[in-house]
């Protein structure tokens, strides 16, 4: 385990309770965390050195939950040491760096996975199933809101901190890569660190996706809305009722004309399906172990990490360009890497 900070300590907790693995070493420079690590994983060695963990012969796999700026070099070092690797989001800060990590994984031949936690949310998986079943109809647009007041970050913007969550959900549900990204942001609390960002993505299929990301907002909201031709579905992760399906929309008569008044509003029932919830982090780590045991490719593999980095990079450039729509790098770049 590399990093046991505010999020990494949760990895320690979950892995220590997983019977299929053993936490043997945790690298964490903050010695104040040593007592908590020992409480959660009594048999684990504590060290301040990542190299000591990567060089240990009794370490088969590592989870990287260190600061985002260290992800690339730590992940590459872990792959070069022959380890299976789960690296927290974001995978990298540039597309070129993400490609370097993917290439290192391809050379190592070990499992490489990105910690896109929301893909393992039970409600997100249900949305994907609903869309693929055809019951929702044709997707029109997505609106995602991930906002709250604090915690203030000094090492990444709201785009890079919150964006991977919703972008991974969209990537998983739609299975499409956007053509363009436009984004506007503002740095209210700290110069040069945008704490409020709005992102718009356009897809070749005509789908539009909009993200509102902020840690300067009066309420904590985690909403994901998918509007389709037959039904609309909303995930509200703050509510006890995670998922709502709305039988709402517009119907066209058989002999539809060009005049809009011939459209009829369909205002049907609201269905709240029962979704069996599991802690997403536990589901994510079990999937990581499954992939190691079976030699399978993770759902949130490095290819997805490269795709998302391409989107984030384009959005960041758009913010600097005043919100101009900019092309998102073609996914063919990461396909080539998989053949190395």
């Amino acid at each position: 385990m590399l990093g046991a900070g505010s999020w990494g300590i949760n990895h320690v907790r979950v892995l220590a309770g997983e019977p299929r693995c053993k936490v043997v070493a945790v690298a964490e420079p903050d010695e104040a965390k040593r007592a908590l690590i020992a409480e959660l994983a009594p048999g684990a060695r504590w060290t301040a050195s990542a190299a000591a963990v990567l060089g240990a012969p009794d370490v088969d796999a590592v989870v990287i939950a260190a600061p985002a700026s260290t992800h690339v070099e730590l992940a590459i070092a872990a792959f070069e040491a022959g380890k299976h690797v789960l690296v927290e989001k974001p995978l990298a800060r540039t597309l070129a760096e993400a490609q370097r990590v993917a290439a290192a994984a391809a050379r190592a031949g070990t499992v490489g996975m990105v910690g896109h936690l929301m893909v393992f949310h039970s409600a997100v998986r249900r949305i994907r199933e609903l869309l693929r079943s055809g019951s929702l109809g044709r997707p029109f647009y997505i609106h995602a809101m991930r906002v709250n007041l604090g915690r203030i970050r000094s090492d990444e913007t709201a785009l890079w901190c919150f964006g991977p969550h919703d972008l991974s959900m969209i990537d998983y549900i739609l299975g499409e890569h956007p053509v363009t990204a436009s984004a506007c942001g503002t740095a209210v609390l700290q110069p040069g660190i945008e704490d409020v960002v709005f992102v718009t993505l356009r897809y070749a299929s005509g789908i539009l996706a909009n993200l509102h990301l902020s840690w300067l907002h009066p309420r904590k909201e985690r909403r994901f809305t998918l509007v389709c031709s037959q039904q609309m579905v909303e995930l509200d992760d703050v509510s006890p009722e995670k998922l709502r399906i709305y039988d709402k929309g517009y119907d066209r008569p058989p002999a539809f004309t060009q005049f809009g008044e011939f459209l009829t509003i369909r205002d049907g029932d609201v269905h709240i399906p029962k979704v069996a919830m599991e802690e997403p982090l536990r589901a994510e780590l079990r999937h990581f172990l499954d992939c190691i045991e079976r030699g399978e490719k993770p759902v949130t593999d490095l290819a997805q990490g490269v795709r998302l980095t391409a989107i984030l990079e384009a959005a960041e450039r758009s913010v600097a360009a005043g919100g101009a729509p900019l092309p998102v790098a073609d996914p063919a770049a990461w396909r080539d890497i998989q053949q190395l």
Side-chain angles (χ1 to χ4, degrees):
M1 183 78 205
L2 305 184
S6 59
W7 181 240
I9 198 66
N10 288 299
H11 282 278
V12 176
R13 169 182 59 81
V14 173
L15 288 170
E18 173 56 51
R20 291 185 293 165
C21 71
K22 179 181 179 182
V23 181
V24 297
V26 179
E28 169 53 53
D30 183 2
E31 191 168 357
K33 299 284 177 63
R34 189 172 183 176
L36 181 56
I37 293 167
E39 178 184 341
L40 294 173
R45 302 188 299 272
W46 173 86
T47 176
S49 168
V53 173
L54 296 179
D58 59 346
V59 173
D60 301 311
V62 297
V63 173
I64 299 173
S69 60
T70 67
H71 286 183
V72 171
E73 298 308 323
L74 287 177
I76 291 174
F79 284 123
E80 290 178 344
K83 313 299 184 185
H84 303 289
V85 179
L86 189 160
V87 57
E88 265 300 338
K89 60 84 184 170
L91 172 62
R93 293 299 303 271
T94 69
L95 179 56
E97 289 180 338
Q99 291 171 338
R100 285 181 59 211
V101 178
R107 290 192 298 270
T110 55
V111 173
M113 180 171 165
V114 187
H116 292 151
L117 184 74
M118 291 304 295
V119 170
F120 299 91
H121 194 297
S122 300
V124 173
R125 299 199 155 197
R126 178 68 67 86
I127 293 173
R128 185 176 188 262
E129 291 170 2
L130 289 168
L131 182 61
R132 299 206 166 195
S133 74
S135 63
L136 301 179
R138 183 166 63 90
F140 290 149
Y141 76 87
I142 289 172
H143 177 69
M145 176 178 283
R146 188 167 299 272
V147 298
N148 57 256
L149 186 63
R151 169 175 66 93
I152 305 303
R153 281 78 168 173
S154 59
D155 59 340
E156 57 185 353
T157 66
L159 173 65
W160 287 91
C161 178
F162 285 169
H165 289 305
D166 294 299
L167 291 176
S168 63
M169 293 162 64
I170 295 170
D171 180 270
Y172 176 68
I173 291 169
L174 293 185
E176 294 187 43
H177 194 67
V179 176
T180 64
S182 57
C184 291
T186 184
V188 178
L189 301 175
Q190 302 174 90
I193 301 177
E194 290 86 12
D195 32 49
V196 182
V197 181
F198 297 87
V199 182
T200 299
L201 306 175
R202 290 189 179 275
Y203 294 78
S205 62
I207 298 172
L208 190 72
N210 181 263
L211 285 67
H212 177 193
L213 312 168
S214 173
W215 55 69
L216 184 62
H217 197 79
R219 298 182 308 279
K220 179 178 180 178
E221 295 193 46
R222 300 287 187 269
R223 291 181 183 269
F224 183 93
T225 305
L226 172 61
V227 176
C228 300
S229 59
Q230 297 301 314
Q231 295 181 318
M232 308 176 187
V233 60
E234 182 177 66
L235 164 62
D236 183 352
D237 206 19
V238 177
S239 170
E241 299 171 343
K242 300 297 182 186
L243 209 58
R244 289 175 179 258
I245 303 170
Y246 297 84
D247 185 19
K248 294 186 176 185
Y250 283 91
D251 289 328
R252 300 172 184 267
F256 178 72
T257 70
Q258 63 180 334
F259 301 105
E261 61 265 24
F262 286 94
L263 292 172
T264 57
I265 295 177
R266 175 171 32 84
D267 191 5
D269 293 333
V270 179
H271 177 53
I272 303 175
K274 182 178 181 180
V275 179
M277 293 302 298
E278 178 184 20
E279 182 183 6
L281 181 60
R282 190 172 301 277
E284 176 185 84
L285 290 170
R286 284 178 176 169
H287 180 66
F288 182 46
L289 296 176
D290 288 342
C291 292
I292 293 172
E293 290 177 351
R294 303 169 187 170
E296 296 176 351
K297 183 176 71 172
V299 173
T300 58
D301 61 0
L302 295 181
Q304 188 188 54
V306 173
R307 292 196 299 273
L308 266 57
T309 305
I311 300 169
L312 291 163
E313 186 179 69
E316 185 174 60
R317 288 189 289 110
S318 179
V319 170
L326 298 177
V328 179
D330 193 313
W334 56 262
R335 288 197 194 100
D336 294 341
I337 289 170
Q338 292 180 305
Q339 306 304 317
L340 293 177

